[in-house]
């Protein structure tokens, strides 16, 4: 079978959405596709597709490049996503494997994208089985299995609540707060990765695109502060479903336990789950974080990023 690898065009979106449904078992609308790859406030996006001689779309690999930080060093921070091969086009793991060719083409296309002086980190979140397959093929370097921990129930009584929150307060605010000139310095200050010192720069523009303007999901924004002082951190949660912290930026002097207690007190809901490090028991998820390279260039000497649910394209 003759297969051509080429950049995706706007005419391929309907076929890519159909392939997404075939491979992953749930729908993806053209609207959500355009939101994800064409409207993100990043450094660029890459979409590579494989088509057969009759023009049928057999495979796709996408990537989004954002500005990241490692301390003071800017980084080209690249998430690979929506990697999919039609079941009828899958074969052995040898050099002619379509998935291998697709990932190499994606890597080659990414290398000249963005500021050339910035180092590049490419990562993704496959399931357990695809992660093992990618490792066997030399395309993935396993970082860790993502794990969640669940906070305490809602504290009862004013004294118990004060002790649990350590004086911190969570306040739900509208998404328009991202555009408040009085909070501009706060959003700039809290954009850098707050836990591992390496990660995506989550600016107000990024938060607006990723959460406020998501075409299918609804999220809530919370500010964290001591009593009535200026805000020091933020949380993003889902409007519906189980209580889960989707994203967060916590100040250095705010441990996870009082942060979740403040959220529980403000939301009147306990048992919030979070992927940030803390002192609660950890429970593994089926999501594996991997570094990705189509050409065998990995960074085992770099610190491990601390990903959150919103960093994946699952939540």
């Amino acid at each position: 079978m003759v297969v051509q690898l080429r950049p995706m065009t706007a005419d391929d979106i309907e076929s890519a959405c159909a392939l997404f449904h075939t491979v992953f078992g749930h729908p993806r609308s053209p609207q959500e596709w355009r939101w994800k790859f064409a409207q993100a406030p990043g450094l660029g996006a890459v979409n590579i597709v494989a088509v057969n001689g009759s023009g049928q779309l057999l495979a796709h690999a996408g990537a989004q490049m954002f500005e990241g930080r490692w301390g003071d060093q800017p980084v080209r921070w690249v998430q690979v996503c929506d990697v999919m091969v039609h079941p009828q086009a899958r074969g052995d793991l040898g050099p002619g494997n379509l998935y291998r060719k697709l990932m190499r083409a994606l890597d080659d296309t990414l290398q000249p994208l963005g500021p050339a002086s910035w180092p590049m980190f490419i990562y993704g979140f496959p399931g357990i089985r695809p992660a093992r397959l990618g490792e066997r093929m030399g395309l993935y370097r396993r970082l860790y299995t993502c794990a969640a921990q669940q906070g305490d129930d809602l504290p009862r009584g004013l004294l118990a609540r004060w002790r649990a929150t350590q004086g911190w307060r969570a306040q739900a605010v509208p998404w328009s707060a991202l555009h408040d000139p009085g909070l501009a310095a706060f959003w700039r200050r809290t954009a850098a990765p707050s836990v591992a010192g390496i990660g995506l720069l989550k600016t107000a523009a990024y938060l607006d695109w990723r959460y406020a303007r998501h075409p299918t999901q609804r999220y809530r924004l919370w500010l964290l502060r001591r009593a009535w002082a200026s805000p020091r951190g933020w949380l993003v949660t889902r409007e519906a479903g189980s209580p889960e912290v989707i994203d967060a930026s916590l100040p250095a002097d705010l441990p996870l336990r009082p942060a979740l207690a403040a959220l529980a007190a403000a939301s009147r809901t306990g048992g919030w789950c979070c992927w940030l490090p803390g002192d609660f028991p950890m429970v593994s998820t089926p999501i594996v974080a991997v570094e990705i390279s189509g050409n065998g260039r990995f960074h085992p000497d770099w610190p491990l990023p601390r990903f959150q649910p919103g960093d994946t394209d699952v939540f």
Side-chain angles (χ1 to χ4, degrees), residues 10 76 81 96 118 120 159 169 177 191 231 238 260 263 280:
R76 289 180 288 170
C81 48
W118 296 6
M120 182 184 298
L159 182 58
R169 186 168 67 93
R238 286 190 293 199
L260 294 185
L263 178 60
F280 298 103

Side-chain angles (χ1 to χ4, degrees), residues 142-308:
R142 181 183 290 257
L143 301 177
Y144 53 83
T145 299
C146 297
Q149 50 189 315
Q150 188 173 26
D152 295 325
D153 292 335
L154 180 65
R156 297 192 178 189
L158 291 177
L159 182 58
R161 193 167 301 179
W162 177 261
R163 287 174 175 168
T165 62
Q166 298 180 17
W168 288 89
R169 186 168 67 93
Q171 176 191 8
V173 297
W175 286 105
S176 59
L178 293 170
H179 312 291
D180 184 343
L183 292 173
F186 164 75
W187 296 119
R188 287 194 298 269
R189 187 172 62 252
T190 57
S194 60
V195 178
I198 183 171
L200 174 64
L201 202 64
K202 295 179 179 176
T203 63
Y206 171 85
L207 296 176
D208 179 65
W209 164 76
R210 174 63 179 85
Y211 300 115
R213 294 191 288 117
H214 195 289
T216 61
Q217 301 290 333
R218 295 293 174 264
Y219 302 96
R220 179 168 294 177
L221 178 63
W222 305 81
L223 298 185
L224 294 165
R225 66 181 88 215
R226 282 191 179 277
W228 298 101
S230 299
R232 301 274 311 285
W234 52 262
L235 302 167
V236 174
T237 61
R238 286 190 293 199
E239 288 279 359
S242 58
E244 184 130 22
V245 175
I246 302 300
D247 214 337
S249 177
L250 304 184
D253 58 343
L254 175 54
L256 181 62
R257 186 177 289 271
L260 294 185
L263 178 60
S267 65
R268 299 184 182 277
T269 302
W272 286 91
C273 286
C274 186
W275 287 12
L276 290 177
D279 56 357
F280 298 103
M282 302 294 290
V283 178
S284 294
T285 75
I287 299 176
V288 180
V290 299
E291 185 181 5
I292 298 174
S293 174
N295 296 290
R297 292 185 293 262
F298 295 110
H299 301 86
D301 55 329
W302 285 31
L304 292 178
R306 175 61 65 173
F307 294 113
Q308 301 187 62

